[in-house]
Amino acid sequence: MCGRFTLVIAPENMVRRFQVDMQNLEYRMRYNIAPGQQVLAIIAEKGKRRMGELRWGLIPSWAKDDKKGFQWINARAESLQEKPSFQKLLSRKRCIIPADSFYEWKETKQGKQPMRIMRKDEQPFAFAGLFDTWVQPDGQKVHTCTIITTTPNDVVAPIHPRMPVILREEDESIWLDREYQDHQHLQSMLKPYKAEWMQAYPVSKAVGNVKNDHLDCIREVRLHEEE
C-alpha cells in the first residue's frame, strides 16, 4: 500500500511541471501527508488542467456513510476492472496526485524502519489516482480520491510488496483525458516505475506520527541513530 508521501517542491516548479494555475490555492510544503488529509490533485476538463484538493481515502458516490474512506486509500491496479465501482471511475474519474517521494516501512532486526523512496534526480512525479464525489445526508459534497498501487520494482521490493503507480510523464495527459476510454491501454500504464530512476534511504521514525510534518521527516539518518 501507499500510506504516506511528500510534496515539498517550490510552487513555481509545480506550475511548470504540471501545467496548472495555482493562484487561488494556499500551497505549503508537506513532509508527511497521511490518509484522511486533503491532498492536491489534478483533473482535466476538455484538455484544460485544474488543480484542487481532494480528501485522501475514496468514498464512492453510492456509499451509505463515510466509513469506506479509510478502507480505500489505495486501489490495486490488477483488480480495477473486476470491481464495478472502480471500473466506472477508471472510465470517467481519473486524476493525478503530485508528489516527490513516498514512505514505506522496512522490516529490520530493530523493528520497522521508515524509508523515503524518490527519484534519483529528486524531481516531482504523479501518482495515478481515481476520484469520486459523495453527498452527505445534509447535502454537502465530499470530494475524495484513492492512489492506485502495483507490484514493486527492484528498489521497493526489499522494502514493501506494493508500490504506488507513478505515471510516465508522457502518459499523464492521456490518463487525465476523460474522453479516452481504451481501458486496455489505460491498464498498461499501471506498472512499476523504472527502478533505475529511483532511490531509497532511511529516515526518522518520527514520520510514523502524522503530527510530525517538518523538514526532519525527510532527513536521511544512519540506522544506528534509530536503534
Side-chain angles (χ1 to χ4, degrees):
M1 64 178 290
C2 174
R4 299 289 174 83
F5 67 95
T6 71
L7 186 59
V8 297
I9 63 174
E12 58 269 22
N13 292 340
M14 285 280 289
V15 172
R16 183 169 56 252
R17 167 62 178 81
F18 294 106
Q19 305 165 43
V20 289
D21 181 0
M22 297 184 63
Q23 290 184 354
N24 297 321
L25 289 174
E26 292 185 9
Y27 175 76
R28 65 181 178 87
M29 295 184 180
R30 299 180 64 189
Y31 300 88
N32 194 9
I33 301 171
Q37 297 178 354
Q38 296 295 113
V39 301
L40 287 178
I42 298 169
I43 63 172
E45 293 283 354
K46 296 181 179 180
K48 185 175 182 180
R49 295 185 176 191
R50 181 160 56 93
M51 177 178 279
E53 289 189 328
L54 299 173
R55 195 171 85 182
W56 184 12
L58 185 77
I59 306 173
S61 59
W62 47 263
K64 294 181 180 180
D65 54 47
D66 61 358
K67 294 179 181 178
K68 286 286 185 184
F70 284 100
Q71 296 178 31
W72 287 352
I73 64 171
N74 295 149
R76 294 176 68 92
E78 301 89 332
S79 58
L80 285 182
Q81 299 192 62
E82 298 172 6
K83 298 180 179 180
S85 55
F86 286 146
Q87 191 176 43
K88 291 178 181 178
L89 300 184
L90 183 63
S91 291
R92 297 290 297 167
K93 294 189 176 182
R94 303 185 297 268
C95 64
I96 62 175
I97 300 167
D100 47 32
S101 74
F102 60 96
Y103 299 110
E104 288 296 357
W105 276 253
K106 181 178 181 179
E107 292 285 354
T108 72
K109 293 181 180 180
Q110 290 75 37
K112 291 186 176 182
Q113 171 60 50
M115 305 289 291
R116 187 186 186 206
I117 305 163
M118 59 193 298
R119 285 178 52 134
K120 287 180 179 178
D121 61 8
E122 302 185 5
Q123 291 302 302
F125 48 77
F127 294 136
L130 303 173
F131 71 97
D132 207 352
T133 300
W134 178 67
V135 181
Q136 295 182 155
D138 62 4
Q140 184 175 346
K141 294 181 178 179
V142 181
H143 306 290
T144 63
C145 66
T146 186
I147 294 173
I148 299 172
T149 65
T150 185
T151 53
N153 61 25
D154 289 344
V155 170
V156 181
I159 303 170
H160 198 273
R162 303 290 294 177
M163 70 176 292
V165 171
I166 299 172
L167 292 170
R168 297 187 307 167
E169 189 169 348
E170 57 265 36
D171 289 337
E172 292 171 9
S173 292
I174 297 175
W175 183 259
L176 288 173
D177 183 355
R178 299 176 71 174
E179 301 303 316
Y180 191 77
Q181 296 292 311
D182 186 340
H183 282 202
Q184 186 174 357
H185 185 206
L186 293 168
Q187 192 74 41
S188 72
M189 299 178 187
L190 307 178
K191 56 189 178 182
Y193 203 60
K194 287 189 176 182
E196 57 264 36
W197 294 350
M198 301 190 77
Q199 63 175 327
Y201 63 82
V203 295
S204 170
K205 292 180 180 178
V207 301
N209 187 332
V210 297
K211 294 181 180 179
N212 295 321
D213 186 3
H214 46 67
L215 184 61
D216 284 346
C217 290
I218 64 172
R219 183 176 66 88
E220 183 172 4
V221 300
R222 294 182 180 180
L223 291 183
H224 70 78
E225 292 181 4
E226 294 294 310
E227 293 177 358

Coordinates of all heavy atoms in Angstrom, one line a residue, residues 119-147:
R119 N 12.7 9.8 -6.8 CA 13.5 9.7 -8.0 C 14.9 10.1 -7.6 O 15.2 10.9 -6.7 CB 13.0 10.7 -9.0 CG 11.7 10.2 -9.7 CD 11.2 11.2 -10.7 NE 12.2 11.7 -11.7 CZ 12.0 11.8 -13.0 NH1 10.9 11.5 -13.5 NH2 13.0 12.3 -13.7
K120 N 15.9 9.5 -8.4 CA 17.3 9.9 -8.1 C 17.6 11.3 -8.4 O 18.4 11.9 -7.8 CB 18.2 9.0 -9.0 CG 18.3 7.5 -8.6 CD 19.2 6.7 -9.5 CE 19.3 5.3 -9.0 NZ 20.1 4.5 -10.0
D121 N 16.9 11.9 -9.4 CA 17.1 13.3 -9.7 C 16.3 14.3 -8.8 O 16.3 15.5 -9.0 CB 16.8 13.6 -11.2 CG 15.4 13.3 -11.6 OD1 14.6 13.0 -10.7 OD2 15.1 13.3 -12.8
E122 N 15.5 13.7 -7.9 CA 14.7 14.4 -6.9 C 13.6 15.3 -7.5 O 13.1 16.2 -6.9 CB 15.6 15.3 -6.0 CG 16.7 14.5 -5.2 CD 17.5 15.3 -4.3 OE1 17.2 16.5 -4.1 OE2 18.4 14.8 -3.7
Q123 N 13.2 14.9 -8.7 CA 12.2 15.7 -9.4 C 10.8 15.1 -9.0 O 10.6 14.0 -8.6 CB 12.4 15.5 -10.9 CG 13.6 16.3 -11.5 CD 13.5 17.8 -11.2 OE1 12.6 18.5 -11.5 NE2 14.6 18.2 -10.5
P124 N 9.8 16.0 -9.1 CA 8.4 15.5 -8.8 C 7.9 14.6 -9.8 O 8.4 14.4 -10.9 CB 7.6 16.8 -8.8 CG 8.4 17.7 -9.7 CD 9.8 17.4 -9.5
F125 N 6.8 13.9 -9.4 CA 6.1 12.9 -10.3 C 4.7 12.9 -10.0 O 4.2 13.7 -9.1 CB 6.8 11.5 -10.1 CG 6.9 11.1 -8.7 CD1 5.9 10.6 -8.0 CD2 8.2 11.1 -8.1 CE1 6.0 10.2 -6.6 CE2 8.4 10.7 -6.8 CZ 7.3 10.2 -6.1
A126 N 3.9 12.0 -10.6 CA 2.5 12.0 -10.4 C 2.0 10.6 -10.2 O 2.3 9.6 -11.0 CB 1.7 12.5 -11.7
F127 N 1.3 10.4 -9.1 CA 0.6 9.1 -8.8 C -0.6 9.0 -9.7 O -1.3 10.0 -9.9 CB 0.2 9.0 -7.3 CG 1.3 9.0 -6.3 CD1 1.2 9.7 -5.2 CD2 2.4 8.2 -6.5 CE1 2.2 9.7 -4.2 CE2 3.4 8.1 -5.5 CZ 3.3 8.9 -4.4
A128 N -0.9 7.8 -10.1 CA -2.2 7.6 -10.8 C -3.3 7.5 -9.8 O -3.1 6.7 -8.8 CB -2.1 6.3 -11.7
G129 N -4.4 8.2 -9.9 CA -5.4 8.2 -8.9 C -6.8 8.1 -9.5 O -7.0 8.3 -10.7
L130 N -7.8 7.8 -8.7 CA -9.2 7.9 -9.1 C -9.9 8.7 -8.1 O -9.5 8.8 -6.9 CB -9.8 6.5 -9.1 CG -9.2 5.4 -10.0 CD1 -9.8 4.0 -9.7 CD2 -9.3 5.8 -11.4
F131 N -11.0 9.4 -8.5 CA -11.7 10.2 -7.5 C -13.2 10.0 -7.7 O -13.7 9.5 -8.7 CB -11.3 11.7 -7.7 CG -11.9 12.3 -9.0 CD1 -13.1 13.1 -9.0 CD2 -11.2 12.2 -10.2 CE1 -13.6 13.7 -10.1 CE2 -11.7 12.8 -11.4 CZ -12.9 13.5 -11.3
D132 N -13.9 10.5 -6.7 CA -15.4 10.4 -6.7 C -16.0 11.5 -5.8 O -15.2 12.1 -5.0 CB -15.9 9.0 -6.3 CG -17.2 8.7 -7.0 OD1 -17.8 9.6 -7.6 OD2 -17.7 7.5 -6.8
T133 N -17.2 11.7 -5.9 CA -17.9 12.7 -5.0 C -19.1 12.0 -4.3 O -19.9 11.4 -4.9 CB -18.5 13.9 -5.9 OG1 -17.4 14.5 -6.6 CG2 -19.2 14.9 -5.0
W134 N -19.0 12.1 -3.0 CA -20.1 11.6 -2.1 C -20.9 12.7 -1.5 O -20.3 13.7 -1.1 CB -19.4 10.7 -1.0 CG -20.4 10.1 -0.1 CD1 -21.3 9.2 -0.3 CD2 -20.5 10.4 1.3 NE1 -22.0 8.8 0.9 CE2 -21.5 9.6 1.9 CE3 -19.8 11.3 2.2 CZ2 -21.9 9.6 3.2 CZ3 -20.2 11.4 3.5 CH2 -21.2 10.5 4.0
V135 N -22.2 12.5 -1.4 CA -23.0 13.6 -0.9 C -23.5 13.2 0.5 O -24.1 12.1 0.7 CB -24.3 13.8 -1.8 CG1 -25.1 14.9 -1.2 CG2 -23.8 14.2 -3.2
Q136 N -23.2 14.0 1.5 CA -23.5 13.7 2.9 C -25.1 13.9 3.0 O -25.7 14.5 2.2 CB -22.8 14.7 3.8 CG -21.3 14.6 3.8 CD -20.7 15.6 4.8 OE1 -19.6 15.3 5.3 NE2 -21.3 16.7 5.0
P137 N -25.6 13.3 4.1 CA -27.0 13.4 4.4 C -27.5 14.9 4.4 O -28.7 15.1 4.0 CB -27.2 12.8 5.7 CG -26.1 11.8 5.8 CD -24.9 12.4 5.1
D138 N -26.7 15.8 4.8 CA -27.1 17.2 4.8 C -26.9 17.9 3.4 O -27.1 19.1 3.3 CB -26.3 18.0 5.9 CG -24.8 18.0 5.6 OD1 -24.3 17.5 4.5 OD2 -24.0 18.6 6.4
G139 N -26.5 17.2 2.4 CA -26.4 17.7 1.1 C -25.0 18.2 0.7 O -24.7 18.6 -0.4
Q140 N -24.1 18.2 1.7 CA -22.7 18.7 1.4 C -21.9 17.7 0.6 O -22.0 16.5 0.9 CB -22.0 19.1 2.7 CG -20.6 19.7 2.5 CD -20.0 20.1 3.8 OE1 -20.6 20.2 4.9 NE2 -18.7 20.3 3.8
K141 N -21.2 18.1 -0.4 CA -20.4 17.3 -1.2 C -19.0 17.0 -0.6 O -18.4 18.0 -0.2 CB -20.3 17.8 -2.6 CG -21.6 17.8 -3.4 CD -21.5 18.4 -4.8 CE -22.8 18.3 -5.6 NZ -22.6 18.9 -6.9
V142 N -18.6 15.8 -0.7 CA -17.2 15.4 -0.2 C -16.5 14.8 -1.4 O -16.9 13.8 -1.9 CB -17.3 14.5 1.0 CG1 -15.9 14.1 1.4 CG2 -18.1 15.0 2.1
H143 N -15.4 15.5 -1.8 CA -14.6 15.0 -2.9 C -13.4 14.2 -2.4 O -12.6 14.8 -1.7 CB -14.1 16.2 -3.8 CG -15.3 17.1 -4.2 ND1 -16.2 16.7 -5.2 CD2 -15.6 18.3 -3.8 CE1 -17.1 17.7 -5.3 NE2 -16.7 18.7 -4.5
T144 N -13.3 13.0 -2.8 CA -12.3 12.1 -2.3 C -11.5 11.4 -3.4 O -11.9 11.4 -4.6 CB -12.9 11.0 -1.3 OG1 -13.8 10.2 -2.1 CG2 -13.6 11.7 -0.2
C145 N -10.4 10.8 -3.0 CA -9.5 10.1 -4.0 C -8.8 8.9 -3.4 O -8.8 8.7 -2.2 CB -8.5 11.0 -4.6 SG -7.3 11.6 -3.4
T146 N -8.3 8.0 -4.3 CA -7.5 6.9 -3.9 C -6.3 6.8 -4.8 O -6.3 7.3 -6.0 CB -8.3 5.6 -4.0 OG1 -7.6 4.5 -3.5 CG2 -8.7 5.3 -5.5
I147 N -5.2 6.3 -4.3 CA -4.0 6.1 -5.1 C -3.9 4.7 -5.6 O -4.0 3.8 -4.8 CB -2.7 6.5 -4.3 CG1 -2.8 8.0 -4.0 CG2 -1.4 6.1 -5.0 CD1 -1.7 8.5 -3.0

